[in-house]
Amino acid sequence: MRRLQNLLFTFCIALRCVTSAVGVIHVTGYVGSAVKVSCSYDQGYESYEKYLCKNDCGSNDDVLITTSNPVTSKYRIHDDKTARIFTTSISDLRSVDTGKYWCGVSRTGKDIYTEVELKLVKDHCCDTVTKILNYQGYSESISCPYEHQYQNSLKYICRGNRPSTCLQQALITSDNKENGRFRLDDDKMLKKFTVNITSLSQEDSGYYLCGVRRNFAHNVFSAVLLEVEEFCCVKSTKINGTVGHPLTLQCPYPSPHRDNRKFLCKGDQHNSCTDMLKNQSRFTLQDASSSTFIVIISKLEAADAGTYWCGSDSQWRVGNYTKIQLSVFPQSTLGKKNTALYVIPPVLLLICILVLVYKYRRSRIEEAVLSLRRNASRKKSSKKVIGAAQSEIYKNQGVVTSNDQSTSNVYEEVDVEVHYENLTASE
């Protein structure tokens, strides 16, 4: 019976007498992935056998799968009799799978056929990529336009550039409009949906696909390349302060921003910080010059420690503000540090004085020793002179004694002056 039906079908194809429930169904799949082909049928055929065949269905080899044998290694078929739709899944797609298929409903006489055209593309998207640059901590809105006929279709976004798995790995869809840092808004009047990503990090960098699901054709995609760079600013500085003391913060800004509103806020992230000029009376802003303003904190508190951001750009564009890291120390802690700083110099000075005194006293002692040595040498010399003089005197006395008688007459004749000279010489 099947062979007879196939012969009749082939004959009817040639004569263009194929009975078709709908027009040609165009299906697009991706090489290496799977695809589903769904075909509807009229009421009254719920219990009839359904099948999928290829080419002209002229032989048994062209019949790929039937509801009588619904599972093979490559094909699966399921008949939803309530919805009157049977769906065939084709897995592990290869280039040879491209071509014409037929959804068939078996019946007496000629079967009912629906033509299916399967096309395969590479699992990569897309030829045109929109590039977006942003920075850590910011938010980014990715805009995804679509055509008018897809206003009521499912919209979604996924990471990567593989269309075959995008819907299964979607970060968010139009059915579930919010998921953590991701939010999807569909503007049907403007025919575009927007995905907003908050608190960007460098891990968010990469490819994204905006997808629109179509029921009987390949989903529509547009590609986006998001680059998230490390956050930077004009200047990053660290400042220390003391509890109870005033502190001045300096914030440079571009000259064209002279008339802009200046701000100082506190928080780990610049996009979620608290405006201190509005909420704290201890913080006062003053313009120091055409390119710098200062913020004076009248009396520091321990809770003032943290990260501050100051600038003149309400849009928070990179390069127009300053990051300040403030550390606040108790007075006792800083007092100990300052005491340590002031104790060290006197100790060094005392050591220097002791060294100088030691050197001075040592030199005086050396001089005294040398003086004693000189005096001792002089005393020895004096003793020698005195001893020589005494021996000379004793000698002269002996001569005078032995010749006392013989020289008596001479004394009377010698002049007194000569006598004194001889005495002086003997001394």
Side-chain angles (χ1 to χ4, degrees):
M1 183 67 183
R2 168 69 62 184
R3 291 182 179 179
L4 178 60
Q5 289 177 346
N6 288 339
L7 290 173
L8 291 173
F9 175 72
T10 303
F11 179 72
C12 289
I13 288 290
L15 297 178
R16 297 181 181 276
C17 61
V18 175
T19 302
S20 176
V22 293
V24 178
I25 298 175
H26 294 278
V27 178
T28 304
Y30 300 95
V31 175
S33 63
V35 72
K36 291 183 178 181
V37 180
S38 296
C39 302
S40 60
Y41 54 86
D42 293 334
Q43 186 176 4
Y45 293 99
E46 290 85 352
S47 60
Y48 285 62
E49 184 183 54
K50 287 84 177 178
Y51 58 92
L52 181 72
C53 60
K54 193 176 180 181
N55 301 324
D56 56 6
C57 299
S59 65
N60 289 334
D61 292 337
D62 289 340
V63 178
L64 304 173
I65 195 166
T66 68
T67 52
S68 301
N69 185 22
V71 179
T72 67
S73 59
K74 188 175 179 68
Y75 303 94
R76 288 174 178 268
I77 192 169
H78 172 71
D79 185 10
D80 187 345
K81 296 180 180 180
T82 302
R84 298 194 301 275
I85 295 175
F86 68 96
T87 302
T88 303
S89 299
I90 308 173
S91 62
D92 193 22
L93 290 171
R94 295 291 181 262
S95 58
V96 295
D97 295 324
T98 303
K100 186 182 292 186
Y101 293 78
W102 299 90
C103 290
V105 178
S106 298
R107 67 175 181 173
T108 304
K110 59 182 179 180
D111 293 352
I112 300 174
Y113 292 94
T114 302
E115 184 179 354
V116 177
E117 187 69 31
L118 174 61
K119 293 181 180 180
L120 296 182
V121 296
K122 293 181 179 180
D123 195 6
H124 179 81
C125 185
C126 298
D127 295 334
T128 302
V129 179
T130 302
K131 294 184 178 180
I132 300 175
L133 175 64
N134 213 319
Y135 298 89
Q136 283 183 330
Y138 280 75
S139 297
E140 182 59 54
S141 294
I142 299 176
S143 182
C144 307
Y146 57 84
E147 296 180 5
H148 176 75
Q149 63 267 32
Y150 303 125
Q151 283 184 336
N152 297 321
S153 300
L154 179 72
K155 287 87 176 179
Y156 57 96
I157 191 170
C158 67
R159 293 201 64 169
N161 58 359
R162 294 190 61 187
S164 63
T165 58
C166 187
L167 182 57
Q168 292 85 348
Q169 299 176 358
L171 298 169
I172 194 170
T173 70
S174 53
D175 290 342
N176 181 20
K177 294 186 176 181
E178 192 165 355
N179 181 19
R181 297 184 297 118
F182 297 86
R183 179 179 176 83
L184 189 151
D185 296 303
D186 186 8
D187 191 333
K188 296 182 180 181
M189 295 296 294
L190 296 177
K191 298 186 292 295
K192 70 175 182 179
F193 69 93
T194 303
V195 177
N196 187 61
I197 310 174
T198 60
S199 302
L200 287 173
S201 66
Q202 288 184 299
E203 288 73 20
D204 294 320
S205 298
Y207 282 94
Y208 291 80
L209 291 182
C210 300
V212 178
R213 186 173 66 183
R214 296 192 293 183
N215 292 329
F216 299 105
H218 178 217
N219 292 353
V220 180
F221 293 98
S222 58
V224 175
L225 176 58
L226 175 62
E227 295 182 9
V228 180
E229 293 186 355
E230 185 178 0
F231 174 74
C232 63
C233 47
V234 171
K235 183 180 177 183
S236 182
T237 180
K238 294 182 179 180
I239 299 178
N240 296 333
T242 310
V243 171
H245 289 234
L247 184 70
T248 300
L249 306 178
Q250 293 189 351
C251 301
Y253 62 89
S255 298
H257 292 184
R258 182 174 184 178
D259 296 329
N260 289 13
R261 176 186 171 272
K262 316 302 189 302
F263 63 85
L264 175 75
C265 65
K266 182 183 179 184
D268 293 335
Q269 299 295 331
H270 65 283
N271 57 348
S272 59
C273 58
T274 303
D275 192 334
M276 303 304 293
L277 299 176
K278 289 183 178 179
N279 301 327
Q280 293 285 344
S281 59
R282 295 181 297 110
F283 291 72
T284 306
L285 185 147
Q286 297 179 4
D287 271 320
S289 66
S290 60
S291 60
T292 303
F293 70 90
I294 62 174
V295 176
I296 301 174
I297 307 176
S298 60
K299 190 177 181 181
L300 275 178
E301 299 176 358
D304 293 331
T307 303
Y308 290 81
W309 310 86
C310 63
S312 57
D313 185 1
S314 59
Q315 299 299 319
W316 287 95
R317 282 180 285 265
V318 173
N320 290 338
Y321 44 92
T322 301
K323 179 181 179 181
I324 302 173
Q325 191 66 44
L326 174 60
S327 298
V328 180
F329 298 96
Q331 290 185 2
S332 58
T333 303
L334 286 180
K336 291 179 182 179
K337 292 184 177 180
N338 294 337
T339 301
L341 292 175
Y342 286 106
V343 164
I344 292 175
V347 171
L348 293 177
L349 181 60
L350 178 60
I351 292 173
C352 293
I353 293 173
L354 292 175
V355 170
L356 293 174
V357 170
Y358 169 75
K359 289 184 176 181
Y360 173 75
R361 296 192 63 181
R362 182 176 178 179
S363 63
R364 292 297 303 273
I365 291 171
E366 290 177 351
E367 290 178 1
V369 170
L370 291 175
S371 177
L372 290 174
R373 289 177 179 175
R374 291 194 200 98
N375 292 335
S377 179
R378 288 176 181 173
K379 287 181 179 181
K380 290 180 179 179
S381 300
S382 299
K383 288 180 179 179
K384 289 180 180 180
V385 172
I386 293 170
Q390 288 179 346
S391 63
E392 185 65 27
I393 291 171
Y394 293 149
K395 184 179 179 181
N396 291 334
Q397 287 179 350
V399 172
V400 171
T401 304
S402 60
N403 296 324
D404 190 25
Q405 296 290 332
S406 59
T407 57
S408 59
N409 296 326
V410 176
Y411 281 117
E412 292 177 357
E413 297 176 357
V414 176
D415 191 272
V416 175
E417 193 172 298
V418 175
H419 177 70
Y420 284 128
E421 288 178 358
N422 291 333
L423 291 175
T424 303
S426 66
E427 291 175 359

